Amino acid sequence: MVRGIFVTGTDTGVGKTYIAAGIAAELHRRGINVGVMKPAETGCRAQGKGLVPRDSLRLIKAAGVRDSLSLVNPYRFRKPLAPSMAAALERKIISLDRIVHAYQILSRRHDFIIIEGAGGIMVPLSGDNTYRELAEMLNIPALIVARPGLGTINHTLLTILALRERNISVSGIVINYADKQQTGLTEKLSPGAIEQISGVKIAGIVSHGANEFANIADKCL
């Protein structure tokens, strides 16, 4: 079985790329041959005749890999929408088989693979398929990135439930302070409540702008 993690979020804007890149950089620093992948990226900036997938390029830089962009990021689109919707606007179809094929190539080159989804696990990816179907096909554990504030208990537990319905294991949860904010009662009490109800451990709590990935990397390995 390929070693790796599927980084998903409880919502969009929770900092999945920041966390995925941080883990990749930490593993690369340790000398681990880590590969990265973002199957579909939307909201890409136009440059010349192509599109610039900023998240994918950030992952590539963090991992220090030389894999082609077509493998790391098979699909990219201009509009900041769910991938299946962005693809439909451009009259394109996302093939899960193509994504899996790219993943298989990368998994033969690297000892550990970090895959980053888009938004949450139920975001539409291709037709009726969401990122949950892709995670199921790739058969690697999920790492959930969650917000620290009010509502995170509900969103995180629903994400865990969706993953468990397809027997996708959850390796842990990262609480990420993507925005600068004070820590109140909600932020202090939510992680413990999530662990107690779900049985899934908090892999780490990342302060805003902090580079705190050693312990999270340990737990991913």
Side-chain angles (χ1 to χ4, degrees), residues 148 177 181-189:
Y177 282 74
Q181 63 188 84
Q182 293 183 338
T183 301
L185 275 178
T186 297
E187 289 76 17
K188 291 177 181 177
L189 299 177

Side-chain angles (χ1 to χ4, degrees), residues 4 6 36 47 55 57 59-60 63 68 85 91 101 103-104 117 119 134 147 182 184 194 197 201 211 219-220:
F6 191 102
V36 291
Q47 182 173 300
D55 291 351
L57 293 175
L59 292 174
I60 289 172
S68 68
M85 297 176 183
R91 299 180 183 275
H101 180 66
Y103 167 76
Q104 290 171 339
L134 178 61
R147 301 181 190 277
Q182 293 183 338
I194 292 169
I197 298 170
K201 293 294 184 182
N211 188 21
K219 291 170 184 175
C220 290

